[in-house]
Amino acid sequence: MSPRILLAAPGALDSDTQAFVLVGFLTLIVPILFICVLSGPERDRINDFYTAGRGLKPLRGALVLSGVYLPAAAVLGTTGSVAVFGYDGLFIALCTVLSLGVLLLLARPLRERGGYTLGDTFALRAPGPGARIATAVVTLSVCVPVLVVQLSGAGATTTALLGMTGPGAEKTAIVMIGALVVCATVFGGMRGTIVIQVIKTVVLLGSALTVAAVLLHRFHWSADSLIDAAREGSGRPAGYMRPGLRYAASNDPEGTLDFIGLMITVVLGVSCLPHVAMQLSTAPDGATARRTVRHSIGIVGTFCLTTALMGLAGAALIGAPAIVAADPGGNSTLLLLTGELAGGSSPRTNGALLVVLVSCAVFLTTLAAVASITLAAAGAIAHDLYTKALRRGCTTEGREVAAARLASTGVGILSIVLAVWVQGWNVLFLTTMSLAVAASCLLPALVYSLFWSGYTRAGLLCTLYGGLFCTVGLQISSPVFSGTPLALFPERHIDWFPLETVVLVSIPAGFLFGWLGSGAGRRGRKGGQGRPGQPSGRREPQTTEADWAT
């Protein structure tokens, strides 16, 4: 994907406009980063670093949770899906809102039984280091691929917005963005992440509403005119507002199953992401967590509506063929549309301000998403692996916070190195794979842990490891990994699994592994009463602030 193309409809921005965009960009971004760092905890207390003191009110919590729910990949990808695939893209936007309905069911019990990480939740059902290690492995398997995709996309997007070209510029942008995120996470912790998420949500929603108002004005505030123009600009007017374009190249049965699988992946996977669950821990109690999710439904729903409008406008004003020519994934749609609404290559002042607003929104979206995911991964390493599994709880608050900061740095550096290494590869499938892992491992484990008294340690380990190996194995054997022109390795042919989305198999497998493992664990305890092993009802001691104080 050529960065120069991204803002080239009808042409690239001229040098004066690019300079104006750069100045406006830095004027907004730099103070926000300073505020984020300065908002960090004053003392090295794990409650502050992981949960910001658990004092987040519903409205502010909803702004933060909405920011977590809208990463750059979702913002750019959903807009592009609507522009290129019409009806199927609209359904993807709807599924993002529906996933909050799943989170609403889990919010109260998850907050009431949760600690700092998902490992604390699972430890109530399955004490011991084994469950902690398994949870950390799955958490990192979900977080690191998403970080790579976010940073890789951020490099291309940032260089396009600032008028730079070439793989070297993209790799430099990846390193710079990654370094900024690492600093924000290390020094800001959850408090700094909350600040940047709130600002990101406000700026993102404000820019989306502004763009939506501008394009509706262009179509005389007529939704019918917009849809008709989008249908004509799609290049496939007969099928644009009918299901099936997303997987039109697949055989009918496989395409239908892939579409259903994609919907399930979005609805169930997003709601169980580790950084989403970690965000709920910032609420004072379970009732507040539920109110936070309810408020988030309205915010995310409003944004998804504007996303649908922008996607339709992209098809109408730019044309789906031009969008696909610039980027086969359609992720350039929002930037192309912004350039068109701003007035092309030489926009006026108002147009340049619109470009600055959208540029800052996209950049902040990337920073906020990467910061939240990095913090969740660091919590799994520092809290679950170091404090609970390795040190067995025998450490101090200061040492755990230091370990979390070191883990944030390590995860950030690893993600930067991987993102630079895979720059230019088609790694978008990693996002779908991460969501599939969350839906196939964390969802069954959460449902069983929160609602089934017969769930055992063996069942939890079988769910996490079995679901992980099943999901990754099927994904590697699917057409998105090899054997097709848009696959990661198109020249190789190990695509024996016919579907691009694997959750139709991996989610039932995750639930089955948990049920079989729990049954085997109960039979093993009955056969050996004197052997080590705790019953499912016994809880692992949880470290509280009072424990740290003593």
Side-chain angles (χ1 to χ4, degrees), residues 178-190:
L180 289 175
V181 172
V182 168
C183 292
T185 307
V186 168
F187 295 105
M190 180 60 80

Side-chain angles (χ1 to χ4, degrees), residues 470-483:
C470 178
T471 303
V472 175
L474 291 176
Q475 198 73 70
I476 291 176
S477 306
S478 71
V480 298
F481 189 80
S482 66

Side-chain angles (χ1 to χ4, degrees), residues 133-340:
I133 295 172
T135 305
V137 168
V138 172
T139 298
L140 293 175
S141 300
V142 172
C143 292
V144 172
V146 176
L147 286 174
V148 171
V149 174
Q150 291 284 342
L151 289 174
S152 180
T157 303
T158 303
T159 52
L161 292 171
L162 301 182
M164 297 180 286
T165 58
E170 293 180 8
K171 292 177 180 179
T172 302
I174 289 174
V175 174
M176 293 179 63
I177 293 170
L180 289 175
V181 172
V182 168
C183 292
T185 307
V186 168
F187 295 105
M190 180 60 80
R191 292 186 183 275
T193 302
I194 286 173
V195 170
I196 197 171
Q197 288 286 10
V198 170
I199 298 174
K200 165 263 185 95
T201 302
V202 173
V203 174
L204 182 64
L205 190 59
S207 62
L209 291 173
T210 301
V211 172
V214 171
L215 66 89
L216 282 175
H217 178 73
R218 177 168 293 197
F219 286 93
H220 308 290
W221 300 91
S222 173
D224 291 338
S225 299
L226 175 59
I227 294 173
D228 290 340
R231 186 183 287 111
E232 293 300 321
S234 68
R236 295 172 287 188
Y240 185 70
M241 295 306 292
R242 295 179 182 177
L245 283 184
R246 178 65 176 80
Y247 295 100
S250 303
N251 297 328
D252 287 341
E254 293 177 357
T256 301
L257 291 176
D258 271 324
F259 182 67
I260 295 173
L262 180 60
M263 301 303 102
I264 294 174
T265 300
V266 175
V267 172
L268 300 182
V270 175
S271 60
C272 297
L273 289 172
H275 58 288
V276 172
M278 191 175 189
Q279 194 57 55
L280 292 177
S281 66
T282 60
D285 49 53
T288 304
R290 279 184 61 87
R291 289 197 298 272
T292 297
V293 177
R294 285 201 298 268
H295 293 331
S296 300
I297 293 175
I299 298 173
V300 174
T302 300
F303 180 81
C304 288
L305 178 61
T306 61
T307 298
L309 292 174
M310 291 186 292
L312 293 172
L317 300 177
I318 309 300
I323 292 172
V324 174
D327 175 17
N331 293 324
S332 63
T333 302
L334 179 59
L335 304 181
L336 288 166
L337 179 63
T338 303
E340 171 66 22

